[in-house]
Amino acid sequence: MDFRLTARQEQLRRSARALTDLISAYENDCEENNGLPPSAHEKIRDAVLDSGLQAVNMPAEWGGAGLTILEQAVVQAELGRLTGALWDMVWRPANALTHCTPEQRARYLEPVIRGERRDCYAVSEPGAGSDPQSLTTTATRTGGGWLLNGEKWFVTVGDHADFMIVLAAAGEERAPTLFLVDKDTPGVEMTRVPRWMHTFVYEHPEFTLTDVRVPDDAVLGGVGDGYDITRSWFTEERLMIAARTIGAAERALELARDWAVERRQFGSPIADFQLVQGMLADCAVDIAVNRAYTHQVAWEVDEGVADRKTLHAKAAIAKLAASEASGRVIDRCVQIFGGRGYDRSYPVERLYRELRVDRIWEGTSEIQRLIVAGELVKRGTGVLRMPSPAA
Ligand SMILES: Cc1cc2nc3c(=O)[nH]c(=O)nc-3n(C[C@H](O)[C@H](O)[C@H](O)COP(=O)(O)OP(=O)(O)OC[C@H]3O[C@@H](n4cnc5c(N)ncnc54)[C@H](O)[C@@H]3O)c2cc1C
């Protein structure tokens, strides 16, 4: 076993850190103004293209960075240091778009990869969250196409994106199907833009779809493939959430450690107090073990050494463990900062609000537990094993 980053991984990590440092100059502006002006979006888009880290999950022949899952995890851990969700400005198209036909790819995916268009993924509805099968958005056949009707909530980047990937129940058989819907299609309306606990550089608006007419070639993948394609997104996305939250937690611990060494009370640096030392040590433990496990599973995905279901469960373990551990880390770091930790101009305060959603989106912590338990009950404890040549 060799746990060192390869020269290429280290090079990618450095590029991602340099990009992160550059983008971090916009953090305060984003927090104070709940977003960034168009000029900042343009500058950051150019910086992303210069870094070569655009669309890290897409093949190089389509213009993406073509990184492995482990390489992506290394990059995401650096980007995860950013507050205001500025990491999301380093676009990573939904991997559902790899199911595009050549024509769809030229129209949707390749412009996204180039930073000219932006996708958003609309699955959740008022009545369909953890259980997407209860969706009520419908697609009804019309001559030469489909008519979409329904309501979509929590659509991340829905304000900024110019097209949506919409999950709908198609036809009388209610076949779960994804549709590519340009946002300017008549009948698409952004109805509400809620304010959230976190400050996020983009919004998560709600949409209604009223008699939205789309052609036959708006179907992404096949009719009925909607759940399978969406599920295949989860293994990768959950590992990236694990990586990002670990990066965020590491930044918080660096800040808290430095603060603890510098801040004096009762005539000593607070780092001399063992109760504070305990918090610092617990943070280090949470970060170290979760980084190692996330890297392990990312490596297993790349090497293809475990079957798809086992990897799905392992990614659920990584997401559950890392998002909960990072939540504990940031809570302690706020505590170490005392009153300043509650001030929005301090990154630890922002990370405290921002890391909370990682236990909710892309499947709540409870849903991750159900996935892990389901794997244990149905297939035994093999999910815990490291891959071996005999596997
Ligand atoms: C900021 C933000 C951005 C988001 N972005 C997107 C997006 O871009 N696209 C998109 O489609 N969705 C998005 N979502 C939606 C997100 O995926 C859902 O919020 C999440 O899946 C949970 O669904 P829900 O909110 O309806 O909660 P519910 O499913 O109603 O769950 C409520 C509670 O019940 C628990 N629960 C539910 N079922 C079970 C069960 N079987 N056993 C035990 N406990 C259970 C849950 O864990 C949770 O604690 C976003 C959400 C947020 C907050």
Side-chain angles (χ1 to χ4, degrees), residues 260-277:
V261 169
E262 192 185 301
R263 172 72 173 167
R264 297 179 73 85
Q265 288 294 283
F266 301 99
S268 304
I270 60 169
D272 285 356
F273 305 138
Q274 289 182 339
L275 291 175
V276 173
Q277 290 180 3

Side-chain angles (χ1 to χ4, degrees), residues 219-371:
V219 172
L220 180 62
V223 172
D225 291 347
Y227 291 146
D228 286 343
I229 294 177
T230 301
R231 239 178 261 128
S232 74
W233 165 247
F234 284 141
T235 299
E236 286 179 27
E237 252 346 83
R238 287 175 182 158
L239 284 172
M240 297 311 136
I241 287 176
R244 270 202 314 271
T245 58
I246 293 160
E250 190 167 355
R251 179 182 183 192
L253 177 57
E254 286 166 16
L255 292 167
R257 179 262 167 213
D258 291 351
W259 176 251
V261 169
E262 192 185 301
R263 172 72 173 167
R264 297 179 73 85
Q265 288 294 283
F266 301 99
S268 304
I270 60 169
D272 285 356
F273 305 138
Q274 289 182 339
L275 291 175
V276 173
Q277 290 180 3
M279 289 196 274
L280 291 171
D282 287 346
C283 289
V285 171
D286 276 331
I287 294 166
V289 296
N290 280 292
R291 186 199 288 112
Y293 186 71
T294 302
H295 280 195
Q296 177 200 315
V297 181
W299 174 86
E300 287 183 52
V301 173
D302 289 332
E303 296 295 315
V305 289
D307 65 86
R308 196 175 51 81
K309 284 189 179 161
T310 304
L311 287 175
H312 186 63
K314 287 191 172 190
I317 295 177
K319 194 247 187 201
L320 172 64
S323 61
E324 301 229 337
S326 302
R328 293 192 295 270
V329 168
I330 191 59
D331 187 77
R332 294 183 200 110
C333 292
V334 166
Q335 197 67 17
I336 291 169
F337 268 89
R340 291 164 179 82
Y342 210 65
D343 175 339
R344 285 180 181 228
S345 60
Y346 282 71
V348 287
E349 189 280 339
R350 301 198 293 272
L351 289 172
Y352 179 83
R353 282 180 286 126
E354 290 165 14
L355 286 173
R356 186 63 184 87
V357 79
D358 291 299
R359 289 149 62 188
I360 297 173
W361 62 10
E362 303 287 347
T364 63
S365 287
E366 291 70 39
I367 296 301
Q368 307 312 306
R369 288 186 172 93
L370 294 182
I371 293 168

Side-chain angles (χ1 to χ4, degrees), residues 41-211:
H41 280 272
E42 276 168 34
K43 282 191 187 135
I44 293 173
R45 189 196 57 210
D46 292 347
V48 172
L49 289 170
D50 287 347
S51 74
L53 293 173
Q54 76 283 2
V56 286
N57 58 339
M58 290 293 153
E61 65 263 31
W62 297 345
L67 304 192
T68 67
I69 299 294
L70 179 52
E71 288 168 349
Q72 290 179 47
V74 168
V75 166
Q76 291 294 317
E78 295 299 330
L79 297 176
R81 298 171 66 87
L82 288 163
T83 66
L86 296 177
W87 47 265
D88 206 14
M89 298 187 80
V90 187
W91 58 93
R92 214 173 152 273
N95 72 359
L97 293 170
T98 57
H99 294 266
C100 282
T101 61
E103 294 73 31
Q104 289 172 332
R105 197 191 308 143
R107 182 168 166 198
Y108 292 100
L109 178 55
E110 288 172 6
V112 172
I113 291 173
R114 292 195 296 269
E116 295 161 7
R117 298 196 72 175
R118 185 78 196 238
D119 57 312
C120 60
Y121 211 145
V123 175
S124 301
E125 301 183 0
S130 300
D131 174 18
Q133 311 223 7
S134 50
L135 90 166
T136 57
T137 297
T138 55
T140 313
R141 270 237 168 262
T142 59
W146 299 87
L147 215 51
L148 304 184
N149 279 287
E151 194 174 354
K152 293 293 178 183
W153 275 20
F154 304 111
V155 185
T156 297
V157 198
D159 56 324
H160 189 76
D162 64 341
F163 72 96
M164 315 168 75
I165 303 167
V166 175
L167 180 69
E172 282 177 12
E173 57 282 19
R174 291 184 43 81
T177 304
L178 295 172
F179 292 87
L180 294 164
V181 181
D182 288 302
K183 244 175 64 188
D184 59 4
T185 311
V188 176
E189 196 187 345
M190 197 162 84
T191 42
R192 195 171 81 99
V193 183
R195 286 302 306 274
W196 305 90
M197 179 189 281
H198 60 201
T199 303
F200 201 101
V201 64
Y202 304 116
E203 302 289 354
H204 317 279
E206 297 170 7
F207 288 89
T208 53
L209 307 168
T210 312
D211 289 337

